[in-house]
Amino acid sequence: MFRATQDWARPDADERPDPSVAASARRPAGRPLAFALLGLAVFAASMLGLASRHAFSVSFWPANAVLVGLALRDRRLFRLPGYAAAAAGFIAADLIFGRPLSLAAFFAATNVVSAFVVTLLLARLPAGDLSLRRSHAVLRILACLLPGSIAAGLCGALLVTIEFGGSAIQALQTWPASELVNYMVVLPALLTVRPGWIARARLSRARDLCPALLLAASCVAAVLFDGPGSIVFPVPALLWCALTYSVPVTAVMTMAFGTFYLTVIGLGLLNIGQDMAVPHMVVSVRVTVAFLVLIPLTISSAVAVRDDLMRQLRHAADHDGLTGLLNRRAFEIDLQARLAVAREGGTGLAILWLDVDRFKAINDRFGHLAGDAVLRGFATTLRSCFPLDAVIGRLGGEEFGLVIDVADSRAAEDAAERLRGAIADRPAIWGGAPISATASIGACYLPAGRRVAADLLHRLDQALYRAKDQGRDRIEWCIASDRPGAAAGAPPAGRRALAA
């Protein structure tokens, strides 16, 4: 069930870091509606946090993390109007809960300072770090959260001293710990979740939900059988989630876990021997929850990095380094798969073997770098002429292979001739000058449901040689099936000949 062996809950390549995280910084300033929506989001998060109040503080405060997450998702919000809207959201929530305006403004300033420092530092990280898809990304994010948490502690100490006549030392202990755990719980989900993440997570089957269900059961068990050790009950489930789910899903799971734990501990529903009136116990509990969240996030990030590297290695093993097309091994594997589908009654296939004409002369006259440019241009032409599901490969040297679905033999002829003409009409540019090249093509058409000849590849090679022997820049056809009475003899006269 681990991600190292099964991919049923892993993301596809489309879960790579979203370039919009970095690109948004280059967009023009947003309309006032965007700032209003930011203020509304901060207001809603503040109301949620204030609803978890107990005698001395709030159990859970997601508002600062929401502000940071939205500012990083859309850099247009990372400016004075955005923070003014956020401050208004903070103040409005405090006023609803009965705080005087001066105190509400002081709390809002403290929250804005913390969020600004964290956003300023996180904005300097690469997009791969913010999406948790680089080595040590979680630790880098943690390093950026610490100064913001300390800044909140300094402002909080000033607030407590002026407004309540309390102990600045106690505030410097508890406030940074609270800020840190709230950032660690909420921010990773805001940074990693993208539109369509649920569909990509592929959680439709019952076994896909097992880690999440075990996490929920572990949290319930911690409340029912509370005590000092119950705080670590969910650790195995968190590890299973980290090893099974994608980074966004793991971040959402840890956010749900952290929110639940902070709330039930703060409200006294989970008794682990804590006294939330004692500052050092507050620090101990909240740092513990932060580290419990840190573990699955770090593991999930590390596995995501491993998966990305494995995808890169698989791509390098299956593709030609010069042209980006499939190499011969990967091409032949895909070819056999297409032949099997055609044999079972799928669509008909056109199979083309191509060779760049007089390629040695091009190398001798213009140099090997120019020859490489011709091959790259050749590959670009192949890709541009056919749909994405076409199987295209570089078989070696200047030889290429192509497999496409076609409706009938006439469609196969048209596709081959279109490709031949496109190659001839699109010279490669080297040193500002065009280098014209043509291609000789050996081709066959395989109707759906027809048995493939055992020596098909040899027949294609022979057709390719005939095209070269008979003048180049032409197409020669061969027979793809072992149909009774069919022969592999020469095709009819003409520039193109079909014998299928």
Side-chain angles (χ1 to χ4, degrees), residues 339 341-350 406-409 444-452 479-481 483 500:
L339 292 176
V341 172
R343 186 169 56 248
E344 297 298 327
T347 60
L349 295 178
V406 290
D408 50 35
S409 60
C444 69
Y445 166 66
L446 178 67
R450 193 68 58 81
R451 186 164 63 91
V452 182
I479 297 172
S481 65
R483 204 176 42 191

Side-chain angles (χ1 to χ4, degrees), residues 16 38 113 161 195 233 235 259 265 277-278 302 304 311 323 423 428 451 471-472 477 492 496:
R16 293 171 186 261
L38 174 64
V113 167
T161 302
F233 281 7
V235 168
T259 301
I265 292 175
V278 179
R311 275 193 291 269
T323 62
I423 293 170
R451 186 164 63 91
R472 299 184 175 88
W477 294 83
R496 296 179 302 162

Side-chain angles (χ1 to χ4, degrees), residues 138 142 145 179-188 290 293-294 297:
V138 176
L142 177 61
L145 298 180
E179 287 288 311
L180 180 64
V181 69
N182 285 304
Y183 280 130
M184 287 300 303
V185 167
V186 178
L187 193 55
V293 169
L294 185 70
L297 290 174

Side-chain angles (χ1 to χ4, degrees), residues 8 167 182 232 296 301 328 412 429 451 485 495:
W8 46 267
S167 171
N182 285 304
V232 298
S301 175
R328 188 180 193 99
I429 304 299
R451 186 164 63 91
R495 184 176 186 80

